[in-house]
PDB file of all heavy atoms in Angstrom:
ATOM      1  N   LEU A   1      55.582 117.036-192.684  1.00 98.00           N
ATOM      2  CA  LEU A   1      54.845 117.684-193.756  1.00 98.00           C
ATOM      3  C   LEU A   1      55.259 117.122-195.105  1.00 98.00           C
ATOM      4  O   LEU A   1      56.438 116.826-195.323  1.00 98.00           O
ATOM      5  CB  LEU A   1      55.093 119.193-193.769  1.00 98.00           C
ATOM      6  CG  LEU A   1      54.550 120.052-192.619  1.00 98.00           C
ATOM      7  CD1 LEU A   1      55.404 119.897-191.369  1.00 98.00           C
ATOM      8  CD2 LEU A   1      54.506 121.516-193.047  1.00 98.00           C
ATOM      9  N   THR A   2      54.301 117.003-195.995  1.00 98.00           N
ATOM     10  CA  THR A   2      54.629 116.591-197.345  1.00 98.00           C
ATOM     11  C   THR A   2      55.336 117.739-198.057  1.00 98.00           C
ATOM     12  O   THR A   2      55.181 118.910-197.703  1.00 98.00           O
ATOM     13  CB  THR A   2      53.377 116.194-198.135  1.00 98.00           C
ATOM     14  OG1 THR A   2      52.465 117.304-198.185  1.00 98.00           O
ATOM     15  CG2 THR A   2      52.689 115.008-197.485  1.00 98.00           C
ATOM     16  N   GLU A   3      56.121 117.406-199.063  1.00 97.00           N
ATOM     17  CA  GLU A   3      56.916 118.401-199.752  1.00 97.00           C
ATOM     18  C   GLU A   3      56.068 119.508-200.370  1.00 97.00           C
ATOM     19  O   GLU A   3      56.489 120.668-200.395  1.00 97.00           O
ATOM     20  CB  GLU A   3      57.765 117.746-200.836  1.00 97.00           C
ATOM     21  CG  GLU A   3      58.955 116.968-200.310  1.00 97.00           C
ATOM     22  CD  GLU A   3      59.973 117.865-199.646  1.00 97.00           C
ATOM     23  OE1 GLU A   3      60.152 119.010-200.107  1.00 97.00           O
ATOM     24  OE2 GLU A   3      60.612 117.415-198.677  1.00 97.00           O
ATOM     25  N   SER A   4      54.900 119.179-200.838  1.00 96.00           N
ATOM     26  CA  SER A   4      54.077 120.157-201.531  1.00 96.00           C
ATOM     27  C   SER A   4      53.570 121.280-200.632  1.00 96.00           C
ATOM     28  O   SER A   4      53.160 122.327-201.132  1.00 96.00           O
ATOM     29  CB  SER A   4      52.889 119.459-202.206  1.00 96.00           C
ATOM     30  OG  SER A   4      52.031 118.870-201.244  1.00 96.00           O
ATOM     31  N   VAL A   5      53.595 121.071-199.318  1.00 97.00           N
ATOM     32  CA  VAL A   5      53.078 122.096-198.418  1.00 97.00           C
ATOM     33  C   VAL A   5      54.147 122.683-197.508  1.00 97.00           C
ATOM     34  O   VAL A   5      53.857 123.619-196.750  1.00 97.00           O
ATOM     35  CB  VAL A   5      51.916 121.556-197.556  1.00 97.00           C
ATOM     36  CG1 VAL A   5      50.807 121.009-198.449  1.00 97.00           C
ATOM     37  CG2 VAL A   5      52.402 120.487-196.587  1.00 97.00           C
ATOM     38  N   LYS A   6      55.347 122.180-197.570  1.00 97.00           N
ATOM     39  CA  LYS A   6      56.423 122.721-196.750  1.00 97.00           C
ATOM     40  C   LYS A   6      56.642 124.189-197.079  1.00 97.00           C
ATOM     41  O   LYS A   6      56.672 124.582-198.233  1.00 97.00           O
ATOM     42  CB  LYS A   6      57.716 121.939-196.970  1.00 97.00           C
ATOM     43  CG  LYS A   6      57.747 120.581-196.305  1.00 97.00           C
ATOM     44  CD  LYS A   6      59.090 119.902-196.493  1.00 97.00           C
ATOM     45  CE  LYS A   6      59.145 118.571-195.781  1.00 97.00           C
ATOM     46  NZ  LYS A   6      60.447 117.879-195.978  1.00 97.00           N
ATOM     47  N   GLY A   7      56.785 124.977-196.029  1.00 97.00           N
ATOM     48  CA  GLY A   7      56.966 126.402-196.210  1.00 97.00           C
ATOM     49  C   GLY A   7      55.670 127.165-196.314  1.00 97.00           C
ATOM     50  O   GLY A   7      55.676 128.402-196.265  1.00 97.00           O
ATOM     51  N   ARG A   8      54.563 126.464-196.453  1.00 98.00           N
ATOM     52  CA  ARG A   8      53.258 127.110-196.582  1.00 98.00           C
ATOM     53  C   ARG A   8      52.300 126.716-195.460  1.00 98.00           C
ATOM     54  O   ARG A   8      51.517 127.544-194.995  1.00 98.00           O
ATOM     55  CB  ARG A   8      52.616 126.769-197.922  1.00 98.00           C
ATOM     56  CG  ARG A   8      53.432 127.210-199.126  1.00 98.00           C
ATOM     57  CD  ARG A   8      52.643 127.043-200.414  1.00 98.00           C
ATOM     58  NE  ARG A   8      52.261 125.652-200.660  1.00 98.00           N
ATOM     59  CZ  ARG A   8      51.004 125.241-200.812  1.00 98.00           C
ATOM     60  NH1 ARG A   8      50.001 126.106-200.743  1.00 98.00           N
ATOM     61  NH2 ARG A   8      50.752 123.957-201.046  1.00 98.00           N
ATOM     62  N   PHE A   9      52.347 125.466-195.061  1.00 98.00           N
ATOM     63  CA  PHE A   9      51.437 124.957-194.031  1.00 98.00           C
ATOM     64  C   PHE A   9      52.192 124.724-192.734  1.00 98.00           C
ATOM     65  O   PHE A   9      53.373 124.354-192.743  1.00 98.00           O
ATOM     66  CB  PHE A   9      50.801 123.634-194.457  1.00 98.00           C
ATOM     67  CG  PHE A   9      49.804 123.735-195.582  1.00 98.00           C
ATOM     68  CD1 PHE A   9      49.666 124.898-196.319  1.00 98.00           C
ATOM     69  CD2 PHE A   9      49.005 122.650-195.891  1.00 98.00           C
ATOM     70  CE1 PHE A   9      48.750 124.990-197.361  1.00 98.00           C
ATOM     71  CE2 PHE A   9      48.084 122.720-196.918  1.00 98.00           C
ATOM     72  CZ  PHE A   9      47.961 123.892-197.651  1.00 98.00           C
ATOM     73  N   THR A  10      51.491 124.917-191.643  1.00 98.00           N
ATOM     74  CA  THR A  10      52.038 124.650-190.324  1.00 98.00           C
ATOM     75  C   THR A  10      50.991 123.932-189.493  1.00 98.00           C
ATOM     76  O   THR A  10      49.843 124.368-189.435  1.00 98.00           O
ATOM     77  CB  THR A  10      52.453 125.943-189.610  1.00 98.00           C
ATOM     78  OG1 THR A  10      53.413 126.658-190.397  1.00 98.00           O
ATOM     79  CG2 THR A  10      53.061 125.616-188.246  1.00 98.00           C
ATOM     80  N   VAL A  11      51.380 122.855-188.872  1.00 98.00           N
ATOM     81  CA  VAL A  11      50.465 122.122-188.007  1.00 98.00           C
ATOM     82  C   VAL A  11      50.901 122.318-186.559  1.00 98.00           C
ATOM     83  O   VAL A  11      52.101 122.339-186.253  1.00 98.00           O
ATOM     84  CB  VAL A  11      50.429 120.620-188.370  1.00 98.00           C
ATOM     85  CG1 VAL A  11      51.790 119.968-188.187  1.00 98.00           C
ATOM     86  CG2 VAL A  11      49.361 119.901-187.555  1.00 98.00           C
ATOM     87  N   SER A  12      49.944 122.491-185.689  1.00 98.00           N
ATOM     88  CA  SER A  12      50.232 122.705-184.284  1.00 98.00           C
ATOM     89  C   SER A  12      49.126 122.091-183.445  1.00 98.00           C
ATOM     90  O   SER A  12      48.111 121.643-183.966  1.00 98.00           O
ATOM     91  CB  SER A  12      50.378 124.200-183.972  1.00 98.00           C
ATOM     92  OG  SER A  12      49.185 124.897-184.267  1.00 98.00           O
ATOM     93  N   ARG A  13      49.325 122.094-182.146  1.00 98.00           N
ATOM     94  CA  ARG A  13      48.325 121.538-181.251  1.00 98.00           C
ATOM     95  C   ARG A  13      48.196 122.390-180.002  1.00 98.00           C
ATOM     96  O   ARG A  13      49.124 123.113-179.625  1.00 98.00           O
ATOM     97  CB  ARG A  13      48.690 120.101-180.849  1.00 98.00           C
ATOM     98  CG  ARG A  13      49.818 120.011-179.810  1.00 98.00           C
ATOM     99  CD  ARG A  13      50.521 118.697-179.861  1.00 98.00           C
ATOM    100  NE  ARG A  13      51.365 118.439-178.694  1.00 98.00           N
ATOM    101  CZ  ARG A  13      52.531 119.016-178.483  1.00 98.00           C
ATOM    102  NH1 ARG A  13      53.009 119.919-179.337  1.00 98.00           N
ATOM    103  NH2 ARG A  13      53.249 118.690-177.415  1.00 98.00           N
ATOM    104  N   ASP A  14      47.042 122.301-179.387  1.00 97.00           N
ATOM    105  CA  ASP A  14      46.772 122.947-178.116  1.00 97.00           C
ATOM    106  C   ASP A  14      46.379 121.825-177.165  1.00 97.00           C
ATOM    107  O   ASP A  14      45.260 121.322-177.228  1.00 97.00           O
ATOM    108  CB  ASP A  14      45.650 123.979-178.249  1.00 97.00           C
ATOM    109  CG  ASP A  14      45.437 124.782-176.982  1.00 97.00           C
ATOM    110  OD1 ASP A  14      45.640 124.241-175.880  1.00 97.00           O
ATOM    111  OD2 ASP A  14      45.064 125.969-177.097  1.00 97.00           O
ATOM    112  N   ILE A  15      47.289 121.440-176.324  1.00 96.00           N
ATOM    113  CA  ILE A  15      47.070 120.271-175.481  1.00 96.00           C
ATOM    114  C   ILE A  15      45.879 120.428-174.528  1.00 96.00           C
ATOM    115  O   ILE A  15      45.041 119.533-174.453  1.00 96.00           O
ATOM    116  CB  ILE A  15      48.358 119.924-174.709  1.00 96.00           C
ATOM    117  CG1 ILE A  15      49.447 119.494-175.700  1.00 96.00           C
ATOM    118  CG2 ILE A  15      48.099 118.826-173.688  1.00 96.00           C
ATOM    119  CD1 ILE A  15      50.785 119.209-175.060  1.00 96.00           C
ATOM    120  N   PRO A  16      45.780 121.538-173.781  1.00 95.00           N
ATOM    121  CA  PRO A  16      44.638 121.665-172.861  1.00 95.00           C
ATOM    122  C   PRO A  16      43.288 121.620-173.556  1.00 95.00           C
ATOM    123  O   PRO A  16      42.306 121.178-172.955  1.00 95.00           O
ATOM    124  CB  PRO A  16      44.875 123.024-172.201  1.00 95.00           C
ATOM    125  CG  PRO A  16      46.344 123.243-172.295  1.00 95.00           C
ATOM    126  CD  PRO A  16      46.715 122.671-173.630  1.00 95.00           C
ATOM    127  N   LYS A  17      43.233 122.076-174.802  1.00 96.00           N
ATOM    128  CA  LYS A  17      41.966 122.116-175.523  1.00 96.00           C
ATOM    129  C   LYS A  17      41.735 120.902-176.414  1.00 96.00           C
ATOM    130  O   LYS A  17      40.683 120.793-177.044  1.00 96.00           O
ATOM    131  CB  LYS A  17      41.884 123.380-176.376  1.00 96.00           C
ATOM    132  CG  LYS A  17      41.868 124.673-175.584  1.00 96.00           C
ATOM    133  CD  LYS A  17      41.744 125.868-176.502  1.00 96.00           C
ATOM    134  CE  LYS A  17      41.682 127.162-175.716  1.00 96.00           C
ATOM    135  NZ  LYS A  17      41.564 128.338-176.615  1.00 96.00           N
ATOM    136  N   ASN A  18      42.707 120.010-176.474  1.00 96.00           N
ATOM    137  CA  ASN A  18      42.609 118.854-177.364  1.00 96.00           C
ATOM    138  C   ASN A  18      42.302 119.288-178.799  1.00 96.00           C
ATOM    139  O   ASN A  18      41.434 118.724-179.472  1.00 96.00           O
ATOM    140  CB  ASN A  18      41.544 117.874-176.867  1.00 96.00           C
ATOM    141  CG  ASN A  18      42.145 116.673-176.156  1.00 96.00           C
ATOM    142  OD1 ASN A  18      43.183 116.768-175.514  1.00 96.00           O
ATOM    143  ND2 ASN A  18      41.474 115.529-176.266  1.00 96.00           N
ATOM    144  N   MET A  19      43.038 120.282-179.252  1.00 97.00           N
ATOM    145  CA  MET A  19      42.818 120.835-180.578  1.00 97.00           C
ATOM    146  C   MET A  19      44.066 120.691-181.434  1.00 97.00           C
ATOM    147  O   MET A  19      45.189 120.799-180.946  1.00 97.00           O
ATOM    148  CB  MET A  19      42.444 122.315-180.493  1.00 97.00           C
ATOM    149  CG  MET A  19      41.147 122.603-179.765  1.00 97.00           C
ATOM    150  SD  MET A  19      39.696 122.226-180.786  1.00 97.00           S
ATOM    151  CE  MET A  19      39.793 123.557-181.989  1.00 97.00           C
ATOM    152  N   VAL A  20      43.844 120.465-182.702  1.00 98.00           N
ATOM    153  CA  VAL A  20      44.902 120.449-183.694  1.00 98.00           C
ATOM    154  C   VAL A  20      44.569 121.498-184.735  1.00 98.00           C
ATOM    155  O   VAL A  20      43.417 121.606-185.165  1.00 98.00           O
ATOM    156  CB  VAL A  20      45.046 119.071-184.354  1.00 98.00           C
ATOM    157  CG1 VAL A  20      46.141 119.108-185.417  1.00 98.00           C
ATOM    158  CG2 VAL A  20      45.359 118.013-183.315  1.00 98.00           C
ATOM    159  N   TYR A  21      45.569 122.247-185.139  1.00 98.00           N
ATOM    160  CA  TYR A  21      45.361 123.317-186.102  1.00 98.00           C
ATOM    161  C   TYR A  21      46.222 123.105-187.333  1.00 98.00           C
ATOM    162  O   TYR A  21      47.322 122.573-187.259  1.00 98.00           O
ATOM    163  CB  TYR A  21      45.702 124.673-185.493  1.00 98.00           C
ATOM    164  CG  TYR A  21      44.939 124.982-184.234  1.00 98.00           C
ATOM    165  CD1 TYR A  21      45.533 124.815-182.986  1.00 98.00           C
ATOM    166  CD2 TYR A  21      43.622 125.419-184.284  1.00 98.00           C
ATOM    167  CE1 TYR A  21      44.836 125.091-181.830  1.00 98.00           C
ATOM    168  CE2 TYR A  21      42.915 125.697-183.133  1.00 98.00           C
ATOM    169  CZ  TYR A  21      43.528 125.533-181.906  1.00 98.00           C
ATOM    170  OH  TYR A  21      42.830 125.807-180.760  1.00 98.00           O
ATOM    171  N   LEU A  22      45.696 123.545-188.445  1.00 98.00           N
ATOM    172  CA  LEU A  22      46.451 123.544-189.686  1.00 98.00           C
ATOM    173  C   LEU A  22      46.391 124.945-190.260  1.00 98.00           C
ATOM    174  O   LEU A  22      45.353 125.363-190.775  1.00 98.00           O
ATOM    175  CB  LEU A  22      45.888 122.530-190.687  1.00 98.00           C
ATOM    176  CG  LEU A  22      46.626 122.453-192.027  1.00 98.00           C
ATOM    177  CD1 LEU A  22      48.067 122.004-191.808  1.00 98.00           C
ATOM    178  CD2 LEU A  22      45.915 121.503-192.985  1.00 98.00           C
ATOM    179  N   GLN A  23      47.486 125.661-190.131  1.00 98.00           N
ATOM    180  CA  GLN A  23      47.589 126.991-190.703  1.00 98.00           C
ATOM    181  C   GLN A  23      48.054 126.859-192.139  1.00 98.00           C
ATOM    182  O   GLN A  23      49.130 126.321-192.397  1.00 98.00           O
ATOM    183  CB  GLN A  23      48.571 127.850-189.903  1.00 98.00           C
ATOM    184  CG  GLN A  23      48.759 129.257-190.448  1.00 98.00           C
ATOM    185  CD  GLN A  23      47.511 130.092-190.345  1.00 98.00           C
ATOM    186  OE1 GLN A  23      46.856 130.117-189.308  1.00 98.00           O
ATOM    187  NE2 GLN A  23      47.161 130.768-191.431  1.00 98.00           N
ATOM    188  N   MET A  24      47.255 127.346-193.059  1.00 98.00           N
ATOM    189  CA  MET A  24      47.546 127.218-194.472  1.00 98.00           C
ATOM    190  C   MET A  24      47.737 128.602-195.073  1.00 98.00           C
ATOM    191  O   MET A  24      46.809 129.415-195.090  1.00 98.00           O
ATOM    192  CB  MET A  24      46.425 126.481-195.202  1.00 98.00           C
ATOM    193  CG  MET A  24      46.105 125.117-194.607  1.00 98.00           C
ATOM    194  SD  MET A  24      44.813 124.245-195.537  1.00 98.00           S
ATOM    195  CE  MET A  24      43.419 125.322-195.177  1.00 98.00           C
ATOM    196  N   ASN A  25      48.927 128.856-195.547  1.00 98.00           N
ATOM    197  CA  ASN A  25      49.249 130.118-196.188  1.00 98.00           C
ATOM    198  C   ASN A  25      49.581 129.887-197.652  1.00 98.00           C
ATOM    199  O   ASN A  25      49.879 128.775-198.073  1.00 98.00           O
ATOM    200  CB  ASN A  25      50.434 130.790-195.486  1.00 98.00           C
ATOM    201  CG  ASN A  25      50.169 131.100-194.037  1.00 98.00           C
ATOM    202  OD1 ASN A  25      49.055 131.441-193.652  1.00 98.00           O
ATOM    203  ND2 ASN A  25      51.216 131.006-193.213  1.00 98.00           N
ATOM    204  N   SER A  26      49.545 130.960-198.408  1.00 98.00           N
ATOM    205  CA  SER A  26      49.868 130.898-199.835  1.00 98.00           C
ATOM    206  C   SER A  26      49.095 129.799-200.541  1.00 98.00           C
ATOM    207  O   SER A  26      49.651 129.019-201.326  1.00 98.00           O
ATOM    208  CB  SER A  26      51.374 130.693-200.024  1.00 98.00           C
ATOM    209  OG  SER A  26      52.112 131.744-199.430  1.00 98.00           O
ATOM    210  N   LEU A  27      47.825 129.742-200.274  1.00 98.00           N
ATOM    211  CA  LEU A  27      46.990 128.714-200.880  1.00 98.00           C
ATOM    212  C   LEU A  27      46.908 128.902-202.393  1.00 98.00           C
ATOM    213  O   LEU A  27      46.874 130.022-202.894  1.00 98.00           O
ATOM    214  CB  LEU A  27      45.592 128.752-200.280  1.00 98.00           C
ATOM    215  CG  LEU A  27      45.478 128.202-198.854  1.00 98.00           C
ATOM    216  CD1 LEU A  27      44.173 128.638-198.216  1.00 98.00           C
ATOM    217  CD2 LEU A  27      45.578 126.680-198.879  1.00 98.00           C
ATOM    218  N   ASN A  28      46.876 127.798-203.082  1.00 97.00           N
ATOM    219  CA  ASN A  28      46.722 127.819-204.525  1.00 97.00           C
ATOM    220  C   ASN A  28      45.624 126.838-204.915  1.00 97.00           C
ATOM    221  O   ASN A  28      45.180 126.035-204.094  1.00 97.00           O
ATOM    222  CB  ASN A  28      48.046 127.489-205.228  1.00 97.00           C
ATOM    223  CG  ASN A  28      48.617 126.147-204.830  1.00 97.00           C
ATOM    224  OD1 ASN A  28      47.995 125.115-205.064  1.00 97.00           O
ATOM    225  ND2 ASN A  28      49.810 126.147-204.255  1.00 97.00           N
TER     226      ASN A  28
END
């Protein structure tokens, strides 16, 4: 993660679904 989003964004994946997610909190 880049420094500007650390602590706010989380990236994850769902292997069976071939999906990537980006959870974004505390958006500005």
